[in-house]
Amino acid sequence: MREQRGGRLSETRGSRGTDETGGGGRESGGGGGEAGDGSRRLSAPGTAVLGVLLLAEVVLLCGALLSLWPVLLDLVGPAADVTATARWSPWGVPGWTLTGDTAMLLAVICCSGLGSFVHAATSFATYVGNRRLYSSWVWWYLLRASIGVTLALLVYLLLRGGLFAGSSGAGSTNPYGFCGIAGLCGLFSKQATDKLREICDTILSTRGDGDRDRQDKPVVAPGQEPGPGTP
């Protein structure tokens, strides 16, 4: 009886040891899964390079805007001449001759880039802090400023064309308002895209379904293969 009980205790201990080993195996498998996920994360040097690029972006944009703003106010002020020009020398490079319109476009580009930086830097800091920055999102950060600038330019052109259709020059513009809107376009690019979609739907709205209403589709005989232009 004692031998049987001893055998049962040995089997029980053995089974417990097997369960513990299995648990260890499962934990190892979880670690392997984490290692597999970690292989897709951006490496430490890559994260550092991306962070430096974002910092360089904001430094360049702030420097350009600070040097451009006095020139912009002189060119688009209430008493500014429509044909007036001014020299702008950013970062010590040879100066460029600007008109009021070109100075306004450059200010819109700088402010939209700053708004895009706020969006990208906030996302970057959040995901780096949570250790969830993956290499597949690098291009999102690199293209963030380009997307914001493009949207801001489109919104600026629409506002200038719709609100100031009768003005003859840049003297009627408000640089503070337009630059603020440009910064919001860079910061909230999705909302800006939705607004442009609404404008497009309003301007280009049609009655009915053009493809369905048109009766000019080619007739295909039974058993005949449709041609390349047949829908």
Side-chain angles (χ1 to χ4, degrees), residues 7-219:
R8 291 177 182 176
L9 290 174
S10 300
E11 291 176 359
T12 304
R13 291 174 181 175
S15 61
R16 290 179 180 175
T18 305
D19 292 338
E20 292 175 358
T21 306
R26 285 191 293 270
E27 291 177 359
S28 301
E34 291 179 358
D37 293 339
S39 63
R40 294 177 296 172
R41 294 174 187 166
L42 191 63
S43 61
T47 303
V49 170
L50 185 57
V52 170
L53 289 177
L54 290 174
L55 291 176
E57 176 188 351
V58 68
V59 169
L60 292 176
L61 289 173
C62 287
L65 186 61
L66 288 175
S67 62
L68 176 64
W69 197 256
V71 178
L72 176 65
L73 293 181
D74 291 338
L75 292 175
V76 301
D81 186 6
V82 177
T83 59
T85 59
R87 298 284 293 179
W88 178 50
S89 301
W91 314 298
V93 299
W96 298 343
T97 301
L98 302 179
T99 62
D101 289 329
T102 54
M104 198 68 220
L105 287 173
L106 288 174
V108 167
I109 291 173
C110 292
C111 291
S112 60
L114 289 175
S116 300
F117 165 78
V118 174
H119 190 181
T122 303
S123 174
F124 177 80
T126 300
Y127 283 102
V128 170
N130 293 329
R131 298 180 181 179
R132 295 294 181 184
L133 183 62
Y134 294 96
S135 58
S136 58
W137 285 92
V138 170
W139 280 107
W140 184 90
Y141 291 101
L142 296 179
L143 296 177
R144 186 73 261 163
S146 301
I147 295 172
V149 168
T150 304
L151 286 173
L153 287 175
L154 291 175
V155 172
Y156 169 73
L157 294 176
L158 287 173
L159 291 176
R160 284 294 303 271
L163 298 180
F164 301 95
S167 66
S168 58
S172 303
T173 62
N174 182 2
Y176 296 96
F178 281 116
C179 290
I181 293 174
L184 292 178
C185 289
L187 180 58
F188 303 106
S189 58
K190 183 181 183 302
Q191 289 84 343
T193 305
D194 294 339
K195 190 61 179 179
L196 290 176
R197 184 183 297 110
E198 291 179 5
I199 296 174
C200 214
D201 291 339
T202 303
I203 297 175
L204 304 178
S205 61
T206 58
R207 295 182 179 179
D209 189 351
D211 292 335
R212 185 182 59 189
D213 296 339
R214 284 193 295 267
Q215 302 296 331
D216 56 353
K217 292 185 178 181
V219 179

Side-chain angles (χ1 to χ4, degrees), residues 219-230:
V219 179
V220 181
Q224 182 182 357
E225 296 255 347
T230 305

